[in-house]
């Protein structure tokens, strides 16, 4: 039982201004596994004022000082890696292999990437007699989700530190343990007092107070599109910069010449990874109508091989979804697919038969889905795949783009030129060709309702920087 009842403000662990606690539920057991305090507007103000007080000094720190700080964080994180993975497994149900080698590992991956980018990042460029200077934007509000918790913390905190910004973090109250451990790591690594601050709490209270606070210069938010709209509305009166990474309903186009065994198996596995709780999951598989029977056979066999169970057990591919609320939402959407006439290829409503407790969902595949069905329109955020047939390339592209989202896309073909041609027509911030992995140095983000701004690599730095033109910085050369 974890008791983590303090906030990290101005380099110290402090009690909340107004005592209020929340039980944290282990989704694999449905039992209370810890308690945290829930913050108030007064706690947010304390944290923001600490960030404001530290802002000028940290913005003036040298590149080398920030490089040394990021390296120190990496060194301390390495000592506590398994502890972070254990927390993630407990709070959001990630199987141990995923928790250790993907979830927890994403933290040092992005910190290390930020360190490499920082070494040569052009904070100042000369254009003729003008200097174009990039400066820290100021105190930032960072609001992160529960599905890839340490990943989303690291992709905000690391570039903010590299840019010279101070910050206040509100992690998800559903999965808060890893963030508290991360604060301990930063403290041990020597992050100066006030540079990093952490407040636990919910979105309507702490999140709204952070995004509307007059002394916050920038808000970086990851979460649902609905919540992202609320954050932007709260920030608008202060004319703050708002960077958002929101929802997705990504299409996976398998072209007629693809290796179908590889592409379909890979697509099913990618959709079910992290129990389907990834914003960029390939949840709509678009396949040639003439190959639908083959696709159904391969996909059903892959789903049948997915082992669902206790995240602590070896060989488990898929743990529970994060909460009772999320479980019920997924059940309702699966039922909507059945009611609207989609063909249920595997899975369905209820828990897997061998599991009596925990927020477990059956790996579910619908086939012969039309793109106007609820399961094809809404972000389910669970292990639910829709297989949608198409008649030609133009229809595949039209279906792929027929969504309010635009986070990611996937294309499989044995002809790289064809795959590139299709990728160029997808209205998404990212495209994976033939199962290519993400690149920590490439920008991550989306079009349309999937957000604005970019994270990862050098593009992630820009969100935390203001640009200043200094005219006459260099003397004019004699003619």
């Amino acid at each position: 039982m974890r008791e983590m009842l303090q906030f990290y403000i101005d380099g110290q662990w402090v009690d909340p201004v107004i005592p209020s606690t929340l039980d944290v539920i282990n989704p694999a057991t449905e039992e209370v596994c810890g308690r945290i305090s829930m913050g108030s507007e007064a706690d947010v103000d304390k944290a923001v004022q600490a960030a404001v007080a530290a802002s000028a000094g940290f913005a003036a720190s040298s590149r080398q000082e920030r490089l040394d700080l990021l390296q120190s964080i990496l060194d301390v994180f390495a000592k506590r890696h398994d502890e972070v993975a254990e927390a993630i497994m407990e709070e959001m149900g990630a199987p141990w292999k995923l928790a250790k080698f993907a979830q927890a590992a994403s933290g040092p991956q992005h910190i290390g990437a930020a360190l490499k980018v920082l070494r040569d990042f052009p904070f100042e460029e000369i254009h003729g007699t003008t200097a174009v200077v990039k400066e820290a934007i100021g105190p930032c509000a960072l609001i992160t989700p529960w599905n890839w918790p340490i990943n989303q913390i690291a992709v905000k905190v690391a570039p903010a530190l590299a840019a010279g910004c101070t910050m206040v973090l509100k992690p998800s109250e559903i999965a808060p343990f890893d963030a508290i451990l991360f604060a301990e790591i930063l403290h041990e690594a020597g992050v100066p007092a006030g540079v990093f601050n952490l407040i636990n709490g919910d979105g309507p209270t702490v999140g709204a107070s952070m995004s509307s606070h007059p002394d916050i210069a920038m808000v970086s938010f990851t979460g649902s599109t609905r919540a992202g709209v609320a954050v932007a509305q709260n920030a608008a009166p202060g004319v703050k910069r708002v960077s958002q990474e929101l929802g997705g309903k990504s299409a996976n186009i398998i072209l007629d010449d693809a290796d179908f065994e590889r592409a379909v198996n890979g697509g099913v596995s990618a959709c079910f990874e992290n129990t389907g709780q990834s914003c960029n999951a390939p949840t709509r598989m678009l396949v040639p109508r003439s190959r639908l029977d083959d696709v159904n056979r391969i996909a059903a066999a892959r789903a049948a091989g997915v082992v669902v169970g206790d995240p602590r057990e070896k060989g488990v591919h898929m743990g529970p979804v994060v909460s009772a609320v999320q479980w019920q939402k997924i059940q309702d959407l699966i039922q909507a697919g059945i009611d609207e006439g989609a063909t249920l290829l595997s899975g369905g409503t209820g828990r897997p038969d061998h599991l009596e407790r925990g927020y477990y969902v059956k790996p579910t595949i619908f086939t012969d889905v039309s793109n106007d069905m609820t399961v094809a329109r809404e972000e389910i955020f669970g292990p639910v795949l829709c297989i949608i047939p198409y008649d030609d390339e133009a229809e595949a592209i039209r279906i792929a783009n027929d969504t309010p989202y635009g986070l990611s896309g996937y294309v499989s073909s044995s002809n790289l030129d064809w795959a590139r041609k299709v990728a160029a027509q997808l209205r998404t911030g990212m495209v994976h060709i033939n199962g290519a992995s993400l690149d920590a140095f490439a920008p991550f983000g989306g079009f349309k309702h999937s957000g604005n701004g970019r994270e990862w690599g050098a593009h992630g730095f820009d969100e935390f920087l203001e640009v200043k033109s200094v005219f006459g910085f260099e003397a004019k050369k004699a003619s």
Side-chain angles (χ1 to χ4, degrees):
M1 180 78 166
R2 300 173 189 257
E3 294 277 338
M4 295 179 160
L5 301 178
Q6 292 185 307
F7 303 144
Y8 186 73
I9 299 175
D10 202 18
Q12 302 178 67
W13 290 98
V14 300
D15 294 329
V17 174
I18 303 169
S20 174
T21 61
L22 176 75
D23 289 339
V24 179
I25 306 299
N26 182 328
T29 64
E30 302 183 46
E31 296 175 355
V32 175
C33 60
R35 285 194 309 152
I36 59 168
S37 291
M38 297 290 277
S40 65
E41 186 175 348
D43 295 301
V44 170
D45 193 58
K46 282 178 61 178
V48 172
Q49 294 314 314
V52 169
S55 183
F58 190 63
S61 62
S62 69
R63 186 193 302 264
Q64 189 58 53
E65 286 172 324
R66 296 178 209 164
L67 287 168
D68 292 344
L69 186 59
L70 290 171
Q71 184 60 58
S72 179
I73 293 168
L74 280 175
D75 294 342
V76 178
F77 197 111
K79 296 189 297 183
R80 303 191 68 177
H81 186 114
D82 283 7
E83 192 179 347
V84 172
E86 181 79 26
I88 292 171
M89 180 174 62
E90 184 175 31
E91 67 193 356
M92 58 82 61
W96 174 246
K97 186 176 179 181
L98 181 73
K100 179 172 181 175
F101 296 107
Q103 289 273 7
S106 65
Q109 177 188 26
H110 289 295
I111 297 164
L115 191 153
K116 289 180 181 178
V117 171
L118 177 58
R119 287 188 181 125
D120 300 306
F121 189 83
F123 288 104
E124 181 181 299
E125 296 179 313
I126 304 299
H127 300 274
T129 62
T130 301
V132 178
V133 183
K134 295 182 178 180
E135 301 179 350
I137 195 169
C140 301
L142 314 180
I143 303 173
T144 58
W146 47 260
N147 61 317
W148 285 89
I150 208 72
N151 176 82
Q152 289 307 130
I153 291 170
V155 297
K156 298 181 191 304
V157 171
L161 290 173
C165 292
T166 61
M167 66 210 75
V168 181
L169 168 69
K170 188 203 89 67
S172 170
E173 71 277 19
I174 298 172
F177 299 149
D178 67 285
I180 295 169
L181 295 177
F182 189 75
E184 293 177 358
I185 290 168
L186 265 58
H187 181 82
E188 184 179 343
V191 173
V195 169
F196 173 86
N197 305 273
L198 180 146
I199 303 288
N200 281 311
D202 59 25
T205 304
V206 171
S209 296
M210 287 168 58
S211 55
S212 63
H213 198 288
D215 292 326
I216 287 291
M218 178 267 193
V219 184
S220 179
F221 173 83
T222 300
S224 70
T225 299
R226 175 195 56 77
V229 169
V231 166
Q233 290 172 334
N234 288 330
V239 199
K240 304 181 199 321
R241 181 180 300 169
V242 179
S243 177
Q244 300 171 314
E245 196 266 284
L246 307 176
K249 193 70 179 177
S250 300
N252 179 9
I253 300 176
I254 302 178
L255 296 171
D256 191 56
D257 69 336
D259 178 338
F260 273 73
E261 289 284 345
R262 180 174 180 270
V264 174
N265 277 309
V268 172
S269 297
C271 181
F272 291 165
E273 184 188 37
N274 203 38
T275 318
Q277 299 170 124
S278 297
C279 52
N280 63 333
T283 53
R284 292 183 298 149
M285 183 180 286
L286 278 53
V287 303
R289 193 177 301 276
S290 62
R291 303 294 299 271
L292 186 59
D293 288 345
D294 284 342
V295 170
N296 289 344
R297 172 185 56 79
I298 298 166
R302 181 69 191 92
V306 175
V307 179
V308 183
D310 188 333
R312 297 178 182 278
E313 294 180 0
K314 288 184 178 179
V316 167
H317 302 130
M318 217 172 76
V321 295
V322 76
S323 68
V325 170
Q326 189 68 14
W327 187 88
Q328 189 57 58
K329 175 195 170 189
I330 295 165
Q331 300 304 308
D332 291 345
L333 286 166
I334 293 173
Q335 188 60 53
I338 295 169
D339 293 343
E340 292 178 14
T343 300
L344 187 64
L345 188 65
S346 65
T349 56
R351 291 184 183 86
D353 294 339
H354 65 290
L355 296 166
E356 297 180 356
R357 287 178 62 79
Y359 307 128
Y360 295 97
V361 176
K362 296 175 183 176
T364 297
I365 301 176
F366 287 105
T367 190
D368 209 15
V369 174
S370 63
N371 202 50
D372 59 352
M373 291 180 177
T374 301
V375 289
R377 306 303 298 176
E378 292 199 24
E379 185 180 37
I380 298 173
F381 229 59
V384 181
L385 173 66
C386 298
I387 299 176
I388 303 173
Y390 66 84
D391 291 315
D392 56 29
E393 176 190 319
E395 185 183 23
I397 293 166
R398 180 188 63 76
I399 292 171
N401 288 333
D402 180 18
T403 171
Y405 299 108
L407 185 57
S408 198
Y410 301 75
V411 182
S412 292
S413 172
S414 61
N415 183 331
L416 187 56
D417 286 338
W418 191 11
R420 288 170 177 159
K421 176 191 169 193
V422 172
Q425 298 175 76
L426 298 182
R427 295 290 296 161
T428 61
M430 301 173 287
V431 182
H432 300 252
I433 292 178
N434 291 329
S437 299
L438 288 162
D439 179 349
F441 293 93
F444 187 106
F447 294 6
K448 301 187 284 187
H449 288 192
S450 289
N452 53 69
R454 293 295 183 267
E455 295 182 316
W456 302 26
H459 286 81
F461 279 42
D462 288 337
E463 302 299 330
F464 296 96
L465 295 165
E466 281 285 22
V467 180
K468 177 187 290 182
S469 296
V470 184
F471 308 112
F473 185 86
E474 294 282 354
K476 286 187 177 180
K477 294 181 180 178
S479 58

